[in-house]
């Protein structure tokens, strides 16, 4: 499957496929491109609200219940209004005291005297607003209720302005502040070459996926005149459908609203306005993008905490959208019943065992050797996947045993062995072994492979033969339910088309559905195999222009020493992984700290066990904070008049007057303790820290997940 833009022999662009889904009518592409976006600090959603700093008083105001805040504000407003009305005699007396003889001037409508009187009234009103506004917390009411209303009105006004600008553009005008979405294409196209595209844009038939796909295609061919001409011809003839993804898809079914393809961002959630969050992130929306995913993300939380619905599925959706624009390739690994999007999201669905049950979505099998270029490499990947963590000490011997069979087999038969053939050869079955020797002899490569064949033959039947262990593990895949799902042996029925995970230089969307419930041990083997093949292929790609994304819903069986090394190589290979874990106990203890060190993003969900939270606590470290010790006591000083005034003030403010003694000092505190993560983290939230490929860091933030 060629990369964007696809071509046929001769350089012509592939025409749109019949029946390919397109963008829904009514999408305002001009408004979407022209929308204001902010890019700092890192990890903030460009289309969301900008971060706002909050002091301790603001945080205290936000903690007041809404009914109490509104009641107090209304009571103070009534008292302020009554005082303003009854202040007229006092103001008249003050005016006469300061400006004797001017009352008559006011009565004569003298402009100077009227202006002075109005100033006194305004000053009185401002004084009352300042006094009763502070006691009634009118500022907090405005921030909580009026500002969101104003933002909504401004957003509606901007949408109206964008629609008006679009109409002016259609009428031939040149509105200010509106961005031409096709300016890069217009700069290289002939006059009238974008007529079809402009008409579709005006009708709302061009989506954000089409926009980004065409600009990506232009970026790929800008310096190749022949391909640039083919692209422009396709755009002139087909409009937004030109250079479509090879699948023909232009949108995802049931897509959510959390993606901004212009910045390639996925909205993760909103940073809460709490003291634990740095002031530069409070109130902003936190987002993931390829630069942040490039350091990989580890998410830990028990079942039901929201890892799948609020993290892995949205990330899979975002990467599938980017694959449709020609900027990414994504492999999603998870149980067959995990909600990781419908099959229509993916180009390749590998579901071992589903084809035998009549599932039409399982159209591909899995190449156990991953399309490896070298037989030793293929055998090593398969041996690593076959052995569980508790048998890791025998990995090197198992690798060698498998290499001693796969290499000679490929030389003798011109193909890689099937599952059943491997099982028979590893067990040393006489018929299968004799046939292999004869094939190698006939191929003329016996001299080259004679030594390793002799070594393998000497170990047959011995107690420490790793081949017997490999055969037993591989037999878990040699089941009738998995027929046609993997590399076929000679004489087996024709297998399904095999997908090799080495094909990461095409904008593919791949879903690997594991049979966790029916065959759990086979699912563990396949999960380790898929992750290992992806990490090796992504790190050894020659063309790294596409972002290679891996999403593993449950990585408990996939984390081993080789996987951790592969994660470390992804950062420099334009790739990244999102790994979900129910608990770190599922990972061998010796690998937990290296796993935390290999990823740049860490995410803790509610219900985390204290021993899991300890690793997050150590990874996030400490921070210097200003600790304030406040001692409060009821104010009982003064006489009857002063006490009466304090009583009225307590009625208006809702709290009794107190004296305060404040002591401030700098102390070092844990950003998030294991106890906080285990006991305090509220439902529907998570604590997330991120690291960009360029080293920029997003500190641990309490995020409210959608």
């Amino acid at each position: 499957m060629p990369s964007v833009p696809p071509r046929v022999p001769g350089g012509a662009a592939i025409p749109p496929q019949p029946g390919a889904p397109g963008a829904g009518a009514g999408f305002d592409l001009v408004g979407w491109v022209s929308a204001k976006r902010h890019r700092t600090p890192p990890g903030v959603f460009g289309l969301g609200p900008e971060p706002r700093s909050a002091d301790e008083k603001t945080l205290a105001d936000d903690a007041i219940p809404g009914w109490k805040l509104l009641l107090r504000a209304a009571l103070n407003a009534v008292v302020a209004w009554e005082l303003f009305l009854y202040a007229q005699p006092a103001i008249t007396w003050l005016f006469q005291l300061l400006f004797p003889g001017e009352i008559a001037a006011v009565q004569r409508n003298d402009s100077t005297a009227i202006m002075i009187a109005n100033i006194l009234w305004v000053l009185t009103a401002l004084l009352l607003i300042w006094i009763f506004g502070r006691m009634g917390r009118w500022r907090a009411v405005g921030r909580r209720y009026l500002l969101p209303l104003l933002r909504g009105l401004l957003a509606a006004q901007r949408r109206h302005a964008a629609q008006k600008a679009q109409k002016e553009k259609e009428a031939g005008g040149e509105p200010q502040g509106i961005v031409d979405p096709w300016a890069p294409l217009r700069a290289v196209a002939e006059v009238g070459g974008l007529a079809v595209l402009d008409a579709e844009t005006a009708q709302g038939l061009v989506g954000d996926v089409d926009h980004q796909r065409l600009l990506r295609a232009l970026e790929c061919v800008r310096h190749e005149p022949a391909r640039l001409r083919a692209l422009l011809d396709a755009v002139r003839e087909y409009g937004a459908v030109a250079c479509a993804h090879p699948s023909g898809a232009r949108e995802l079914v049931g897509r959510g609203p959390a993606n901004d393809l212009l910045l390639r961002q996925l909205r993760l959630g909103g940073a809460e306005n709490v003291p634990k969050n740095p002031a530069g992130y409070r109130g902003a929306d936190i987002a993931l993008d390829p630069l942040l995913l490039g350091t990989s993300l580890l998410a830990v939380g028990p079942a039901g905490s929201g890892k799948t619905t609020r993290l892995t599925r949205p990330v899979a959706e975002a990467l599938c959208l980017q694959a449709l624009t020609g900027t990414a390739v994504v492999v999603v690994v998870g149980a067959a019943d995990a909600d990781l999007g419908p099959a229509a999201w993916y180009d390749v669905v590998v579901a071992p065992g589903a084809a035998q049950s009549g599932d039409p979505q399982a159209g591909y099998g899995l190449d156990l050797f991953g399309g490896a270029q070298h037989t030793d490499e293929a055998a090593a990947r398969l041996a690593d996947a076959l052995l569980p963590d508790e048998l890791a000490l025998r990995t090197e011997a198992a690798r060698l045993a498998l290499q001693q069979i796969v290499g000679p087999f490929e030389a003798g038969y011109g193909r890689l062995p099937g599952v059943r053939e491997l099982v028979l050869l590893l067990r040393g079955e006489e018929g299968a072994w004799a046939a292999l020797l004869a094939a190698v002899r006939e191929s003329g490569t016996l001299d080259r492979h004679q030594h390793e064949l002799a070594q393998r033959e000497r170990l047959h039947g011995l107690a420490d033969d790793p081949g017997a262990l490999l055969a037993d593990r591989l037999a878990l895949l040699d089941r009738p339910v998995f027929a046609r799902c993997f590399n076929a042996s000679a004489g087996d029925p024709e297998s399904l088309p095999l997908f090799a995970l080495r094909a990461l230089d095409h904008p593919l969307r791949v879903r690997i559905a594991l049979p966790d419930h029916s065959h759990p041990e086979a699912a563990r083997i396949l999960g380790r195999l898929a992750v290992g093949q992806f990490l090796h292929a992504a790190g050894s790609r020659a063309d790294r222009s596409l972002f290679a994304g891996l999403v593993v819903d449950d990585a408990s069986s996939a984390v081993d020493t080789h996987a951790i090394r592969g994660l470390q190589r992804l950062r420099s290979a334009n790739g990244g992984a999102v790994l979900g874990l129910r608990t770190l106990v599922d990972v061998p203890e010796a690998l937990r700290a290296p796993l935390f060190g290999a990823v740049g993003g860490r995410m803790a969900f509610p219900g985390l066990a204290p021993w899991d939270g300890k690793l997050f606590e150590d990874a996030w470290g400490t921070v210097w904070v200003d600790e304030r010790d406040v001692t409060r006591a009821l104010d009982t000083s003064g006489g009857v008049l002063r006490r009466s005034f304090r009583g009225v003030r307590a009625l208006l403010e809702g709290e009794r007057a107190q004296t305060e003694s404040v002591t401030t000092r700098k102390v070092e505190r844990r950003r998030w303790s294991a106890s906080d993560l285990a006991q305090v983290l509220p439902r529907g939230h998570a604590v997330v820290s991120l690291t960009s490929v360029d080293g920029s860091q997003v500190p641990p933030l309490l995020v409210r997940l959608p």
Side-chain angles (χ1 to χ4, degrees):
M1 195 172 295
S3 58
V4 175
R7 296 182 298 170
V8 294
I14 294 179
Q17 298 185 10
F27 182 77
D28 183 11
L29 181 65
V30 175
W32 175 73
V33 174
S34 304
K36 181 181 178 182
R37 291 171 171 84
H38 47 87
R39 299 172 182 264
T40 55
V44 172
F45 190 51
L47 283 176
E50 295 189 23
R52 58 187 178 93
S53 177
D55 54 19
E56 297 299 326
K57 189 177 186 307
T58 302
L59 296 176
D61 290 341
D62 291 342
I64 300 175
W67 68 268
K68 186 176 181 180
L69 186 66
L70 292 175
L71 180 61
R72 183 183 302 172
L75 181 60
N76 279 269
V78 170
V79 174
W81 176 251
E82 292 295 329
L83 286 178
F84 182 74
L85 293 179
Y86 286 105
Q88 183 175 359
I91 296 175
T92 304
W93 174 81
L94 180 62
F95 183 73
Q96 188 173 8
L97 180 65
L98 295 176
F99 307 99
E102 294 294 331
I103 295 294
V106 171
Q107 294 174 351
R108 293 195 307 269
N109 293 328
D110 183 84
S111 59
T112 303
I114 292 176
M115 182 182 68
I116 295 174
N118 289 336
I119 290 175
L120 286 177
W121 279 103
V122 169
L123 291 176
T124 303
L126 291 177
L127 179 63
L128 291 174
I129 290 174
W130 181 75
I131 294 174
F132 290 94
R134 285 176 60 88
M135 291 192 295
R137 289 182 168 85
W138 293 354
R139 187 176 180 182
V141 172
R143 185 175 60 251
R144 188 181 298 188
Y145 298 104
L146 295 182
L147 281 183
L149 179 61
L150 291 176
R151 291 193 186 103
L153 293 176
L154 290 175
Q157 185 179 4
R158 284 196 296 267
R159 287 194 298 269
H160 177 71
Q163 294 173 357
K164 182 179 179 181
Q166 180 65 23
K167 293 179 180 179
E168 292 179 359
K169 182 179 178 181
E170 294 173 2
E174 295 184 358
Q176 298 294 325
I178 300 301
V179 178
D180 179 8
W182 306 115
L185 272 173
R186 210 176 302 279
V188 296
E190 300 175 352
V191 177
L194 302 184
V196 175
L197 194 58
D198 288 336
E200 292 177 337
T201 302
Q203 297 170 13
L205 300 177
V206 184
D208 52 353
V209 175
D210 299 322
H211 178 265
Q212 290 299 293
R213 188 188 68 251
L214 290 177
L215 293 190
R216 165 68 176 174
L218 176 62
E219 181 183 344
C220 291
V221 303
R222 184 181 293 274
H223 302 293
E224 301 181 33
R227 298 185 68 191
L228 178 59
R229 173 50 52 193
L231 169 63
L232 296 178
D233 291 344
V235 171
R236 183 178 63 251
E237 184 173 357
Y238 302 112
V241 190
C243 294
H245 186 269
S247 67
R250 297 170 56 197
E251 190 57 275
L252 293 183
V253 180
R255 168 186 169 181
N259 288 281
D260 179 23
L261 290 179
L262 194 64
L263 298 181
R264 300 177 67 184
Q265 286 186 323
L266 164 67
R267 181 185 178 275
L268 196 60
E272 292 285 22
N273 194 16
V274 295
K276 277 187 175 294
N277 285 347
Y281 289 91
R282 294 174 188 167
D285 287 343
I286 305 303
L288 295 174
D289 57 43
L291 288 179
L292 295 171
L293 287 176
T295 60
S296 298
L297 173 64
L298 175 67
V300 184
S305 60
K307 294 192 308 301
T308 301
T309 57
R310 292 170 172 169
L311 178 64
T312 53
R313 177 189 165 105
V315 171
E317 176 185 334
L319 292 176
C320 284
L321 284 171
Q322 293 179 30
L324 292 181
T325 67
T327 58
V329 53
V330 56
V331 177
V332 181
V333 182
D337 60 349
D339 183 15
L340 297 174
W345 282 10
Y346 301 97
D347 306 311
V348 176
V349 177
V350 179
Q356 291 299 101
S357 60
D359 189 346
Q361 298 177 350
Y364 288 85
L366 181 64
D367 186 354
L368 296 181
F369 302 100
Q373 296 179 348
H374 306 289
T375 56
D376 285 352
E377 171 192 325
R381 299 282 82 75
L382 181 56
D384 294 341
L386 288 173
L387 294 184
D389 299 327
E390 56 268 20
L391 299 177
L393 293 177
R394 305 189 65 182
T395 299
E396 291 302 327
R399 281 185 172 191
L400 182 59
L402 208 54
Q403 290 168 347
Q404 289 170 344
I405 291 178
V406 174
F409 191 99
E410 196 273 339
Y413 291 98
R415 61 178 177 85
L416 292 171
V419 177
R420 185 159 300 174
E421 290 169 333
L422 269 180
V423 171
L424 295 177
L425 290 171
L426 287 168
R427 287 176 177 165
E429 295 287 341
E430 294 184 3
W433 194 254
L436 175 61
L437 292 176
V440 174
R441 189 178 296 108
E442 291 178 5
S443 67
T445 60
L446 182 61
D447 292 341
R448 187 169 41 153
H449 297 289
Q450 185 173 10
H451 178 67
E452 53 187 346
L453 287 171
Q455 283 186 315
R456 179 90 286 276
E457 191 170 11
R458 280 196 299 271
L459 291 175
H460 286 164
L462 298 181
D464 59 346
D465 180 15
L469 176 61
L470 286 173
D472 292 340
R473 300 288 299 169
L474 198 57
L476 295 170
L477 305 181
D478 187 22
R479 305 292 302 157
V481 71
F482 297 138
R484 303 173 57 217
C485 293
F486 308 116
N487 305 66
S489 300
D492 286 353
E494 184 179 356
S495 66
L496 293 170
L498 297 182
F499 173 72
L501 274 166
R502 192 171 184 83
L504 299 183
D505 52 352
H506 309 303
L508 287 172
R509 303 165 294 161
V510 182
R511 169 75 162 98
I512 299 179
L514 304 177
D516 267 2
H517 296 296
S518 57
H519 296 79
E521 197 58 34
R524 292 184 63 192
I525 293 174
L526 295 175
R528 282 196 298 270
L529 181 64
V531 171
Q533 288 182 354
F534 175 92
L535 294 175
H536 182 78
S540 59
R541 288 183 300 167
D543 181 6
R544 298 179 176 179
S545 58
L546 298 179
F547 178 81
L550 172 67
V551 180
V552 186
D553 187 52
D554 181 9
S556 57
S557 62
V559 176
D560 55 17
T561 304
H562 308 290
I564 291 176
R565 291 174 182 169
L567 287 173
Q568 294 171 337
R569 290 193 296 266
L570 278 184
R571 181 178 300 200
S572 60
N574 193 23
V578 175
L579 307 178
L581 285 174
R582 292 187 179 92
T583 173
L584 290 168
V585 176
D586 293 337
V587 179
E589 185 175 1
L591 298 181
R592 295 171 194 171
L595 175 61
F596 263 70
V599 297
R602 305 170 185 92
M603 195 167 181
F605 283 80
L608 201 68
W611 43 87
D612 291 342
K614 183 64 177 174
L615 281 172
F616 282 98
E617 175 186 313
D618 294 340
W620 285 332
T622 60
V623 63
W624 288 96
V625 297
D626 291 329
E627 186 178 78
R628 300 172 71 244
D629 291 334
V630 181
T631 304
R632 293 185 176 90
L634 292 178
D635 188 359
T636 59
S637 61
V640 176
L641 183 61
R642 188 172 179 182
R643 291 180 181 180
S644 300
F645 175 75
R646 283 201 299 267
V648 175
R649 179 182 173 186
L651 178 63
L652 295 176
E653 287 190 338
E655 55 187 30
R656 300 183 64 181
Q658 296 177 334
T659 59
E660 291 186 353
S661 175
V662 181
T663 303
T664 304
R665 64 178 183 274
K666 282 192 172 293
V667 295
E668 193 174 14
R669 291 283 184 264
R670 291 283 186 180
R671 294 180 184 269
W672 283 89
S673 68
S675 177
D676 290 339
L677 295 174
Q679 307 294 336
V680 181
L681 196 58
R683 182 180 179 183
H685 291 67
V687 180
V688 57
S689 67
L690 302 168
T691 304
S692 177
V693 173
D694 60 8
S696 303
Q697 293 195 353
V698 178
L701 302 172
L702 177 62
V703 176
R704 181 185 64 261
L705 301 176

